[in-house]
Amino acid sequence: MTLGIIRVLTTDDEAVLFEHGRILEREYGLRTVTECIPDQPDGIYDAQSEALAIPKIVRLGRRLQQSGCAGLFLSCAADPGLAQLREAVDIPVISAGSAAARVAGFLDRPCAVIGIGEEAPAPYRYVLGESVPYARPSGVAKTTDLLTADGRRAALDCARRLHEEGARVIVFSCTGLTTIDLAADVRRELDCVAIDAVRAAGLFASAIRM
């Protein structure tokens, strides 16, 4: 059975496009197919880009179901259009933000969220509380900013600051942090728990045995 992965970053760079699928196949044994929505080369990074993306997400989800996918993974930690997508299809839909927030909540340890928006996305605030500590890496405003050397350094520096301020669990609210494998750096450099949103979603996807 196949999990359809919806990427909200428009790219023809196969190393970037298929990275999340490769992780889920390698670590959870899931069979995946990945497609991205069109005309959003900077992904989703504010309210306007999210509004543009939602109908594209719904159309792509329907197409993936029609192609035979038994479940969908919305690979965006803001869960954009999640309710609309679930209404539009008849198969399970897992989203990165809700999955990561739930895993963090289960751990019941001081946590903080790192992402690219002005505040923690709604799924994180709903599960972890409106006052959950949050920070954005310096100079990073879009997913593509993380793919540079400066973006990678800024992300680790941001995680380090959150850890120094008391976080014992750092939760990712941008799937671009998966693409740069920040979790490995956080665990190695900071000796801190890191919850990668893509891998958290894979945990739930593998459990439903599509």
Side-chain angles (χ1 to χ4, degrees):
M1 306 295 281
T2 301
L3 176 70
I5 301 178
I6 298 173
R7 298 295 305 273
V8 302
L9 172 70
T10 307
T11 180
D12 56 8
D13 182 340
E14 293 188 356
V16 173
L17 178 62
F18 298 121
E19 177 63 13
H20 298 173
R22 282 191 289 265
I23 289 170
L24 297 184
E25 290 177 2
R26 181 176 68 246
E27 299 186 13
Y28 293 101
L30 296 170
R31 181 179 178 182
T32 69
V33 59
T34 300
E35 292 192 34
C36 60
I37 62 173
D39 304 321
Q40 299 213 202
D42 293 320
I44 294 175
Y45 53 90
D46 61 12
Q48 182 178 5
S49 59
E50 180 172 347
L52 289 171
I54 288 174
K56 302 174 190 177
I57 289 168
V58 172
R59 285 194 295 271
L60 177 53
R62 285 176 173 150
R63 189 165 74 248
L64 287 169
Q65 177 179 342
Q66 291 168 358
S67 72
C69 290
L72 299 175
F73 169 37
L74 178 54
S75 188
C76 180
D79 291 1
L82 178 59
Q84 297 94 318
L85 179 59
R86 285 177 169 162
E87 182 69 22
V89 300
D90 300 318
I91 54 179
V93 181
I94 296 164
S95 193
S98 297
R102 291 294 180 188
V103 172
F106 293 150
L107 294 180
D108 195 26
R109 300 178 65 187
C111 68
V113 181
I114 179 173
I116 63 171
E118 294 184 357
E119 61 180 356
Y124 296 80
R125 290 183 279 114
Y126 175 76
V127 175
L128 303 174
E130 290 290 338
S131 61
V132 63
Y134 173 79
R136 177 171 62 184
S138 177
V140 172
K142 304 185 293 292
T143 301
T144 48
D145 294 335
L146 293 167
L147 305 181
T148 67
D150 287 345
R152 291 183 175 92
R153 283 192 293 269
L156 182 58
D157 287 345
C158 183
R160 180 177 289 108
R161 183 168 71 253
L162 291 169
H163 185 241
E164 290 171 349
E165 292 172 355
R168 295 298 170 259
V169 177
I170 295 177
V171 195
F172 299 172
S173 68
C174 175
T175 58
L177 297 169
T178 300
T179 304
I180 65 171
D181 199 19
L182 182 66
D185 291 337
V186 168
R187 293 165 186 148
R188 181 179 61 251
E189 300 288 336
L190 308 182
D191 192 25
C192 179
V193 175
I195 297 178
D196 180 303
V198 171
R199 290 176 169 88
L203 181 66
F204 287 92
S206 63
I208 63 176
R209 300 290 181 186
M210 292 174 297

